[in-house]
Amino acid sequence: MPAPEATRVMVTGALGQIGTDLVEELRRMHGNENVLATDIRELPDHTGVTNGPFELLSVLDTDAMDSLVKEYDITKIFHLGAILSVTGEQNPKLCKKINVGGTVSVLETAKNNNLQVYAPSSIAVFGPDTPKHAPQITPLNPTTTYGKTKVTGENLINEYWKKHGVDARGLRYPGLISWKSPAGGGTTDYAVEIFNAALNQGHYDCFVRPNTKLPMMYMDDAIRATLDLMNSPIKKIGKSRAGYNVSGLSFTAQELVDAIKDKVDGFTCNFIPDVRQNYADSWPDSVNDASAKKDWGWEAEYDLGKIVDSMIEGLSK
Ligand code: AKB
C-alpha cells in the first residue's frame, strides 16, 4: 500500500488572533517544517510563529499563493486572512476586496492544486431577522459589510464544492476569547480587551451595554472545532459544510464583568456603548449547533469560569 501523503499546511493571516494559536497546534501535529505561516505583515520577533517557515503573502496575489503552494508542496490551506466587522464598517471597500477577493484566491489555488481548504464564516452572517437562538438553516440578511462578505464566502465554498469538487469547509465562529495574540477590529473584542484591562489597569470602559449577550468561545475550543471539522471524513460533512454553527457559550457583558470581579480584586467597569453596539444588536444571542454535533461530533468544553481562570493564568505568564 502506498504511504499516506504527508500533510503540509499553509496558513494565511497567521499572525492574527486565530492564526497564532492555530499555527502552534498545527506545528505540534505535523512538525514545524510542514506548516507554512503567511501574513501580509512582517514577522515580529516575539511571536510563537517564528519556530517554522514564514512568507510574506497578500491573499489577493493568487500567483504568489500558487507559487508558494508548489514550492512548499502544500496539501491544505487554512485561510484566516480577513477584515473583521468594525474595521469593515470603517472601510467597506477594503473589507469586500480582502474578504471576497482573498477567498476567491484561495479557492482558485485549491482548485488548481487539488487542496483541502478551511475558510471560516462567522455569526455575523445573521441579521436582525434571525431568531435570537440562531438556527443552522435560516435566511441570511446581515446588516454589516463584514457579515455580507461572510455570506458570499459561504456561497463561494458551496459553488467550488459543487462545480469543481474543492473540499472547502467552514465554521461560523462566535466571538473568540484568547490571550496569546490580541483581537483586532471586531465587535466581540470587548470580551478579550476586558481581561488585559482588568489585569493591567484594574478598570475597563466597555463599548456595549451590560445586557448585551453574544455567542462566544474560548480559543482552545475553536482550534479543536476547526481541526475536528477538517479531519472528519468527507462522508460526515453535510449540507452545512460552508458554515457550521458551533456553540461555545453565551453570556452578557455584565456576567463577564461579574465573573472577572470574582477573581480580580477591585476591578471596575463602566459601560459606554458606541456604534459597535449596533453590530452586536444585529447578531443572535446563541446558535443551534445540532448539525455540527450530529455530523462530526462537536462538543464545547469551556464554560465561563474555566475561560476566566485560563485567561488570567495565560495573561499573567
Ligand atoms: C467580529 O466581532 O467581527 C468577529 C466575528 C464575530 O466574526 N469576532
Side-chain angles (χ1 to χ4, degrees), residues 38-88:
T38 72
D39 204 287
I40 187 109
R41 289 174 285 172
E42 296 276 355
L43 184 64
D45 299 334
H46 57 270
T47 153
V49 176
T50 43
N51 64 359
F54 176 85
E55 299 274 359
L56 279 177
L57 176 68
S58 158
V59 293
L60 298 180
D61 191 342
T62 319
D63 291 342
M65 192 179 286
D66 194 84
S67 298
L68 287 176
V69 161
K70 291 187 165 72
E71 184 184 337
Y72 286 86
D73 210 1
I74 296 296
T75 58
K76 44 175 114 178
I77 302 185
F78 288 80
H79 173 48
L80 303 176
I83 302 280
L84 298 186
S85 54
V86 176
T87 314

Coordinates of all heavy atoms in Angstrom, one line a residue, residues 38-88:
T38 N 1.9 32.4 6.7 CA 2.0 33.5 5.8 C 1.1 34.7 6.4 O 0.1 34.4 7.1 CB 1.5 33.2 4.4 OG1 0.1 33.1 4.4 CG2 2.1 32.0 3.8
D39 N 1.5 35.9 6.1 CA 0.8 37.1 6.5 C 1.2 38.2 5.6 O 2.3 38.2 5.0 CB 1.0 37.4 8.0 CG -0.1 38.1 8.6 OD1 -0.2 39.3 8.3 OD2 -0.9 37.5 9.4
I40 N 0.4 39.3 5.6 CA 0.7 40.5 4.9 C 1.7 41.3 5.7 O 2.4 42.2 5.2 CB -0.5 41.3 4.5 CG1 -0.2 42.5 3.6 CG2 -1.3 41.8 5.8 CD1 -0.8 42.3 2.2
R41 N 1.7 41.0 7.0 CA 2.6 41.8 8.0 C 4.0 41.0 8.1 O 4.0 39.8 8.1 CB 2.0 41.9 9.3 CG 0.8 42.8 9.3 CD 0.1 42.8 10.7 NE -0.7 41.6 10.8 CZ -1.3 41.2 12.0 NH1 -1.2 42.0 13.1 NH2 -2.0 40.1 12.1
E42 N 5.0 41.8 8.3 CA 6.4 41.3 8.6 C 6.3 40.5 9.9 O 5.5 40.8 10.8 CB 7.4 42.4 8.9 CG 7.6 43.3 7.7 CD 8.7 42.6 6.7 OE1 9.2 41.6 7.1 OE2 8.9 43.2 5.6
L43 N 7.1 39.4 10.0 CA 7.1 38.6 11.2 C 7.8 39.3 12.4 O 9.0 39.6 12.3 CB 7.8 37.3 10.9 CG 7.9 36.2 11.9 CD1 6.5 35.7 12.3 CD2 8.8 35.0 11.5
P44 N 7.1 39.6 13.5 CA 7.8 40.2 14.6 C 8.6 39.1 15.4 O 8.3 37.9 15.2 CB 6.6 40.7 15.5 CG 5.4 40.0 15.0 CD 5.7 39.3 13.7
D45 N 9.5 39.6 16.2 CA 10.4 38.6 16.9 C 9.7 37.9 18.0 O 10.0 36.7 18.3 CB 11.6 39.4 17.6 CG 12.4 40.1 16.6 OD1 12.4 39.6 15.4 OD2 13.1 41.1 16.9
H46 N 8.7 38.5 18.6 CA 8.1 38.0 19.9 C 6.9 37.1 19.7 O 6.1 37.0 20.5 CB 7.8 39.2 20.7 CG 6.8 40.1 20.1 ND1 7.2 41.1 19.3 CD2 5.4 40.1 20.0 CE1 6.1 41.7 18.8 NE2 5.0 41.1 19.2
T47 N 6.8 36.4 18.5 CA 5.6 35.5 18.4 C 6.0 34.1 18.3 O 7.1 33.8 17.8 CB 4.8 36.0 17.1 OG1 4.1 34.8 16.7 CG2 5.6 36.5 16.0
G48 N 5.1 33.2 18.7 CA 5.4 31.8 18.6 C 5.6 31.3 17.2 O 6.1 30.2 16.9
V49 N 5.1 32.1 16.2 CA 5.1 31.7 14.8 C 6.5 31.6 14.2 O 6.7 31.1 13.1 CB 4.2 32.7 14.0 CG1 4.2 32.5 12.5 CG2 2.7 32.7 14.5
T50 N 7.5 32.2 14.9 CA 8.9 32.2 14.4 C 9.5 30.8 14.4 O 10.6 30.6 13.8 CB 9.8 33.1 15.3 OG1 9.5 32.8 16.7 CG2 9.6 34.5 15.0
N51 N 8.9 29.7 14.9 CA 9.5 28.4 15.0 C 9.4 27.5 13.8 O 9.7 26.4 13.8 CB 9.0 27.7 16.3 CG 7.6 27.3 16.1 OD1 6.9 27.7 15.1 ND2 7.0 26.6 17.1
G52 N 9.0 28.1 12.6 CA 8.9 27.4 11.4 C 8.9 28.3 10.2 O 9.1 29.5 10.4
P53 N 8.6 27.8 9.0 CA 8.7 28.7 7.8 C 7.7 29.8 7.8 O 6.5 29.6 8.3 CB 8.5 27.7 6.6 CG 7.9 26.5 7.2 CD 8.3 26.4 8.6
F54 N 8.1 31.0 7.3 CA 7.1 32.1 7.2 C 7.4 32.8 5.9 O 8.6 33.0 5.5 CB 7.4 33.1 8.4 CG 6.5 34.3 8.3 CD1 5.2 34.3 8.8 CD2 7.0 35.5 7.7 CE1 4.4 35.5 8.6 CE2 6.2 36.6 7.5 CZ 4.9 36.6 8.0
E55 N 6.3 33.2 5.2 CA 6.5 34.0 4.0 C 5.5 35.2 4.0 O 4.4 35.0 4.5 CB 6.2 33.1 2.8 CG 7.1 31.9 2.6 CD 8.4 32.2 1.8 OE1 8.6 33.4 1.4 OE2 9.1 31.3 1.6
L56 N 5.9 36.3 3.5 CA 5.0 37.4 3.3 C 4.1 37.1 2.2 O 4.5 36.6 1.1 CB 5.8 38.7 3.0 CG 6.4 39.5 4.1 CD1 7.2 40.7 3.5 CD2 5.4 39.9 5.1
L57 N 2.8 37.3 2.3 CA 1.8 37.0 1.3 C 0.6 37.8 1.4 O -0.1 37.9 2.4 CB 1.4 35.5 1.3 CG 0.4 35.1 0.3 CD1 0.9 35.1 -1.1 CD2 -0.2 33.7 0.6
S58 N 0.2 38.5 0.3 CA -1.1 39.2 0.2 C -2.1 38.1 -0.3 O -1.8 37.5 -1.3 CB -1.0 40.3 -0.8 OG -2.4 40.6 -1.2
V59 N -3.2 38.0 0.4 CA -4.2 37.0 0.0 C -4.8 37.3 -1.4 O -5.4 36.4 -2.0 CB -5.3 36.8 1.0 CG1 -4.8 36.1 2.3 CG2 -6.1 38.1 1.3
L60 N -4.6 38.5 -1.9 CA -5.1 38.9 -3.2 C -4.2 38.5 -4.3 O -4.5 38.5 -5.5 CB -5.4 40.4 -3.3 CG -6.4 40.9 -2.2 CD1 -6.5 42.4 -2.4 CD2 -7.7 40.2 -2.4
D61 N -2.9 38.1 -4.0 CA -2.0 37.7 -5.0 C -2.0 36.2 -5.3 O -1.3 35.4 -4.7 CB -0.6 38.2 -4.5 CG 0.5 38.1 -5.6 OD1 0.2 37.4 -6.6 OD2 1.5 38.7 -5.5
T62 N -3.0 35.9 -6.2 CA -3.2 34.4 -6.5 C -2.0 33.8 -7.0 O -1.7 32.6 -6.7 CB -4.4 34.3 -7.4 OG1 -5.4 35.2 -7.0 CG2 -5.0 32.9 -7.4
D63 N -1.2 34.5 -7.9 CA 0.0 33.9 -8.5 C 1.0 33.5 -7.4 O 1.6 32.5 -7.4 CB 0.6 34.8 -9.5 CG -0.3 34.9 -10.7 OD1 -1.2 34.1 -10.9 OD2 -0.1 35.9 -11.5
A64 N 1.2 34.5 -6.5 CA 2.2 34.3 -5.4 C 1.8 33.1 -4.5 O 2.6 32.3 -4.1 CB 2.4 35.5 -4.6
M65 N 0.5 33.0 -4.3 CA -0.1 32.0 -3.4 C 0.2 30.6 -4.1 O 0.6 29.6 -3.5 CB -1.6 32.2 -3.2 CG -2.2 31.3 -2.2 SD -4.0 31.7 -2.0 CE -4.0 33.2 -1.1
D66 N -0.1 30.6 -5.4 CA 0.1 29.4 -6.2 C 1.5 28.9 -6.2 O 1.8 27.7 -6.0 CB -0.4 29.6 -7.6 CG -0.6 28.3 -8.4 OD1 -1.6 27.7 -8.3 OD2 0.4 28.0 -9.1
S67 N 2.4 29.9 -6.3 CA 3.9 29.6 -6.3 C 4.3 29.0 -5.0 O 5.1 28.0 -4.9 CB 4.7 30.8 -6.5 OG 4.4 31.3 -7.8
L68 N 3.8 29.6 -3.9 CA 4.2 29.1 -2.5 C 3.6 27.7 -2.3 O 4.3 26.8 -1.7 CB 3.7 30.0 -1.4 CG 4.4 31.3 -1.3 CD1 3.7 32.2 -0.2 CD2 5.9 31.1 -0.9
V69 N 2.4 27.4 -2.8 CA 1.8 26.1 -2.7 C 2.7 25.1 -3.4 O 2.9 24.0 -2.9 CB 0.4 26.1 -3.3 CG1 -0.1 24.7 -3.6 CG2 -0.6 26.8 -2.3
K70 N 3.2 25.4 -4.6 CA 4.1 24.5 -5.3 C 5.4 24.3 -4.6 O 5.9 23.2 -4.5 CB 4.2 25.0 -6.8 CG 2.9 24.8 -7.5 CD 3.0 25.1 -9.0 CE 1.8 24.7 -9.8 NZ 0.6 25.5 -9.6
E71 N 6.0 25.5 -4.2 CA 7.3 25.4 -3.6 C 7.3 24.6 -2.3 O 8.3 23.8 -2.1 CB 7.8 26.9 -3.3 CG 9.2 27.0 -2.7 CD 9.5 28.4 -2.3 OE1 8.9 29.4 -2.9 OE2 10.4 28.6 -1.5
Y72 N 6.3 24.7 -1.5 CA 6.3 24.0 -0.2 C 5.5 22.7 -0.3 O 5.2 22.0 0.7 CB 5.7 24.9 0.9 CG 6.7 26.0 1.3 CD1 6.7 27.2 0.7 CD2 7.5 25.8 2.4 CE1 7.6 28.2 1.1 CE2 8.4 26.8 2.8 CZ 8.4 28.0 2.2 OH 9.3 29.0 2.6
D73 N 5.0 22.4 -1.5 CA 4.2 21.1 -1.7 C 3.0 21.0 -0.7 O 2.8 20.0 0.0 CB 5.2 19.9 -1.4 CG 4.9 18.7 -2.2 OD1 3.9 18.8 -3.0 OD2 5.5 17.7 -2.1
I74 N 2.3 22.1 -0.7 CA 1.1 22.2 0.3 C 0.0 21.3 -0.1 O -0.4 21.2 -1.3 CB 0.7 23.7 0.3 CG1 1.8 24.6 0.8 CG2 -0.6 23.9 1.1 CD1 2.2 24.4 2.2
T75 N -0.7 20.7 1.0 CA -1.8 19.9 0.7 C -3.1 20.5 1.3 O -4.2 20.1 0.9 CB -1.7 18.5 1.4 OG1 -1.5 18.7 2.8 CG2 -0.5 17.7 0.8
K76 N -3.0 21.4 2.2 CA -4.3 22.1 2.6 C -4.0 23.6 3.1 O -2.9 23.9 3.6 CB -5.1 21.4 3.7 CG -4.3 20.8 4.9 CD -5.4 20.2 5.9 CE -5.3 18.7 5.9 NZ -6.3 18.2 6.9
I77 N -5.0 24.4 2.9 CA -4.8 25.8 3.3 C -5.9 26.2 4.4 O -7.1 25.8 4.2 CB -5.1 26.8 2.1 CG1 -4.1 26.5 1.0 CG2 -5.0 28.3 2.6 CD1 -4.2 27.5 -0.2
F78 N -5.4 26.8 5.4 CA -6.3 27.4 6.4 C -6.3 28.9 6.2 O -5.2 29.5 6.4 CB -5.8 27.1 7.9 CG -6.0 25.7 8.3 CD1 -5.1 24.7 7.9 CD2 -7.1 25.3 9.1 CE1 -5.3 23.3 8.2 CE2 -7.3 24.0 9.4 CZ -6.4 23.0 9.0
H79 N -7.4 29.4 5.7 CA -7.4 30.8 5.2 C -8.0 31.7 6.3 O -9.2 31.8 6.4 CB -8.3 30.9 3.9 CG -8.5 32.2 3.4 ND1 -7.5 33.2 3.3 CD2 -9.6 32.9 3.1 CE1 -8.0 34.3 2.9 NE2 -9.3 34.2 2.7
L80 N -7.1 32.4 7.0 CA -7.6 33.2 8.2 C -7.4 34.7 7.9 O -7.9 35.5 8.7 CB -6.8 32.8 9.4 CG -6.9 31.3 9.8 CD1 -6.0 31.1 11.0 CD2 -8.3 31.0 10.1
G81 N -6.8 35.1 6.8 CA -6.6 36.5 6.5 C -8.0 37.1 6.2 O -8.6 36.7 5.2
A82 N -8.4 38.1 7.0 CA -9.7 38.7 6.8 C -9.8 40.1 7.5 O -9.0 40.3 8.4 CB -10.8 37.8 7.3
I83 N -10.7 40.9 7.1 CA -11.0 42.1 7.8 C -12.3 41.9 8.7 O -13.3 41.3 8.1 CB -11.3 43.3 6.8 CG1 -10.2 43.5 5.9 CG2 -11.8 44.5 7.5 CD1 -9.0 44.3 6.4
L84 N -12.3 42.2 9.9 CA -13.4 41.9 10.8 C -14.5 43.1 10.8 O -14.3 44.0 10.1 CB -13.0 41.6 12.2 CG -12.0 40.4 12.4 CD1 -11.8 40.1 13.8 CD2 -12.6 39.2 11.7
S85 N -15.5 42.9 11.6 CA -16.7 43.7 11.5 C -16.5 45.2 11.7 O -17.0 46.0 10.9 CB -17.8 43.3 12.5 OG -17.3 43.2 13.8
V86 N -15.7 45.6 12.7 CA -15.6 47.1 13.0 C -14.7 47.7 11.9 O -15.1 48.8 11.3 CB -15.0 47.3 14.4 CG1 -14.8 48.7 14.7 CG2 -15.9 46.7 15.5
T87 N -13.6 47.1 11.6 CA -12.8 47.7 10.5 C -13.5 47.7 9.2 O -13.4 48.6 8.4 CB -11.5 46.9 10.4 OG1 -10.9 46.6 11.7 CG2 -10.4 47.6 9.5
G88 N -14.3 46.6 9.0 CA -15.1 46.5 7.8 C -16.2 47.6 7.6 O -16.4 48.1 6.5

